[in-house]
Amino acid sequence: MKENYLRGAYLKEGGQAGYPFDLPAVRDLEALRFRKPVSFFIGENGSGKSTILEGLAVCMGFNPEGGSRNFHFSTQDTHSALGANLTPVRGPFRPKDGFFLRAESYYTLSSELERLEENGAPGLLQGYGGKSLHARSHGEGFLALMMNRFRGSGLYLMDEPESALSPSRQLSLISLIHQLVRADSQFIIATHSPLLMAYPEADIFEFSEAGIRKVDYRDTEHYRLTRDFLNNPERSLRILMGEEK
């Protein structure tokens, strides 16, 4: 893939005040430049990574609660005004496929697929593995959706996909991402998983009170904490339990 479909985004002139525009990451939005086919957003809860991911999805035409550009379901209007105030910086080519996958709205997405199948879109579930996602375990359904629905030459935005996946299934997801990258796809993923963010040649953007900065994998807190814990879990637990300093 020579050029990304989405290179970045910027705030429109006359942007609003208050949340989420007062988040340091939003104020530093122009630090996001997508030069590699896989980009990760990392940071503590509340740092703005999911908010910005949602804003990018909305400004690229995706449903705020997830799905493809053809989905228009809404259960509760909780998305921020950021997406409506962003202008995307597009590459020279348009994606042929795309999907916005949110862990928090996966159940609603699965229900919407069933509703569409029953009301005018027979055969829709064939593109998602051939049966209702509700008929699978959470992790199986998550992986089935990505393996069957993500077709390549696409822009895929995912918010914490690891939440439903075991470590072995996260490794399967890495393999799937690589296959799709080789098929001219771009991924932007908000995650806490040190397994996923190990994907080689990815850009990792860390969100914090200081704004947004690009970091190396081994400099992330996720990597360091996981490494230190696994190197000596007994001592790590003693320290956590106040039995050792």
Side-chain angles (χ1 to χ4, degrees):
M1 184 174 177
K2 296 181 180 179
E3 299 282 352
N4 279 337
Y5 303 114
L6 179 60
R7 294 176 169 178
Y10 58 90
L11 283 170
K12 296 177 181 178
E13 292 186 8
Q16 302 179 25
Y19 180 84
F21 303 96
D22 55 357
L23 287 172
V26 173
R27 294 199 300 268
D28 202 21
L29 187 69
E30 292 191 16
L32 288 177
R33 287 294 178 263
F34 304 125
R35 296 184 172 89
K36 295 184 178 179
V38 179
S39 301
F40 292 108
F41 293 174
I42 68 171
E44 289 296 331
N45 295 330
S47 61
K49 59 186 185 300
S50 293
T51 299
I52 288 181
L53 186 70
E54 176 194 273
L56 292 173
V58 170
C59 79
M60 289 296 287
F62 293 100
N63 184 50
E65 292 193 28
S68 70
R69 293 181 182 85
N70 296 324
F71 280 63
H72 303 287
F73 69 91
S74 177
T75 55
Q76 189 173 0
D77 187 8
T78 59
H79 62 280
S80 76
L82 181 61
N85 285 273
L86 288 182
T87 298
V89 180
R90 301 176 186 267
F93 305 105
R94 294 297 177 96
K96 297 178 181 177
D97 189 35
F99 208 89
F100 179 31
L101 182 58
R102 307 189 67 158
E104 65 180 24
S105 59
Y106 169 78
Y107 182 90
T108 306
L109 173 64
S110 302
S111 299
E112 177 67 6
L113 285 170
E114 285 193 359
R115 188 190 70 79
L116 291 172
E117 170 89 8
E118 295 170 359
N119 294 276
L124 177 66
L125 290 176
Q126 291 301 317
Y128 292 81
K131 65 178 181 179
S132 169
L133 297 179
H134 286 313
R136 308 172 188 263
S137 72
H138 195 188
E140 289 175 337
F142 233 69
L143 200 59
L145 186 155
M146 291 181 282
M147 291 180 67
N148 293 282
R149 175 55 187 79
F150 292 10
R151 305 185 182 108
S153 297
L155 172 64
Y156 304 108
L157 301 98
M158 299 194 290
D159 191 11
E160 299 184 12
E162 74 276 8
S163 64
L165 302 177
S166 68
S168 64
R169 293 296 175 89
Q170 291 182 46
L171 296 178
S172 297
L173 177 56
I174 290 175
S175 177
L176 175 61
I177 289 171
H178 191 56
Q179 293 174 37
L180 288 163
V181 164
R182 293 169 67 182
D184 296 326
S185 296
Q186 178 184 1
F187 286 85
I188 304 173
I189 304 170
T191 185
H192 293 290
S193 170
L195 291 179
L196 293 185
M197 65 181 73
Y199 184 87
E201 298 302 316
D203 276 336
I204 302 175
F205 296 97
E206 182 181 65
F207 291 42
S208 70
E209 288 298 317
I212 301 172
R213 69 183 184 114
K214 193 159 61 173
V215 296
D216 292 330
Y217 174 59
R218 285 178 171 79
D219 291 331
T220 65
E221 184 181 47
H222 309 71
Y223 172 82
R224 295 197 308 270
L225 287 177
T226 304
R227 177 200 61 195
D228 294 347
F229 184 88
L230 293 178
N231 281 343
N232 195 336
E234 294 81 11
R235 182 171 185 271
S236 296
L237 287 170
R238 288 196 299 271
I239 292 173
L240 287 171
M241 296 173 182
E243 298 173 1
E244 183 178 329
K245 294 183 180 180

